[in-house]
Amino acid sequence: MEFNGPNSVPTGRPMTWYKTTFKTPESTESLVLDLEGLGKGHAWVNGQSIGRYWPTMVADENGCSDTCDYRGNYGPERCVSGCGEPSQRFYHVPRSFLNNDTNTLILFEEMGGNPSNVSVQKLQLVLFVQLQIMEAP
């Protein structure tokens, strides 16, 4: 996805508008807008608000562990995951917001991010169901 602009796209500048177009992916899978590289702002697809984003709001880098055990008393340090990662990076794009061919993405970046890694991705949801059979004593 390439953003329109004179020569090169400005990056790292707060209060900047970005505009680009993208083709509607051929599928019926859910779509997400990956806002990697952006700071804080608002996104629109074809004039419809996708919402505010803030991927630079990252989880604390300390406290993550490879194991997780929920047994015992709860504490905020239990099962910490995603350390150093954004609290949210992917934003749902309803298919009803899309045109049949070309779509317009508008971003208003408040903090000064870099839109070069922004993309639209297909998301395949897989439902896992675990059945537990209890035997009578």
Side-chain angles (χ1 to χ4, degrees), residues 49-116:
S49 174
I50 298 301
R52 293 189 53 74
Y53 61 85
W54 197 352
T56 55
M57 184 66 155
V58 297
D60 188 4
E61 292 189 22
N62 299 316
C64 279
S65 68
D66 294 336
T67 61
C68 182
D69 186 353
Y70 283 105
R71 293 177 289 185
N73 294 332
Y74 172 78
E77 70 286 347
R78 303 288 300 264
C79 300
V80 178
S81 63
C83 296
E85 297 293 322
S87 58
Q88 184 174 352
R89 178 176 139 189
F90 301 99
Y91 295 79
H92 179 247
V93 179
R95 285 214 171 249
S96 62
F97 286 11
L98 301 178
N99 296 326
N100 292 330
D101 186 37
T102 303
N103 303 280
T104 301
L105 171 64
I106 304 275
L107 300 170
F108 178 63
E109 174 59 38
E110 297 176 26
M111 295 178 67
N114 181 349
S116 62

Side-chain angles (χ1 to χ4, degrees), residues 2-3 5 16 19 27 32 39 47 64 77 96 101-103 113 122-123 127 130-131 134-135:
E2 292 190 24
F3 285 83
T16 302
K19 178 181 179 181
S27 74
V32 293
C64 279
E77 70 286 347
S96 62
D101 186 37
T102 303
N103 303 280
K122 294 184 240 179
L123 180 66
L127 178 63
Q130 179 180 3
L131 297 176
M134 297 182 68
E135 295 182 18

Side-chain angles (χ1 to χ4, degrees), residues 10-28:
T11 60
R13 290 188 0 202
M15 308 309 239
T16 302
W17 290 91
Y18 296 103
K19 178 181 179 181
T20 190
T21 58
F22 64 94
K23 298 283 186 187
T24 300
E26 293 185 19
S27 74
T28 58

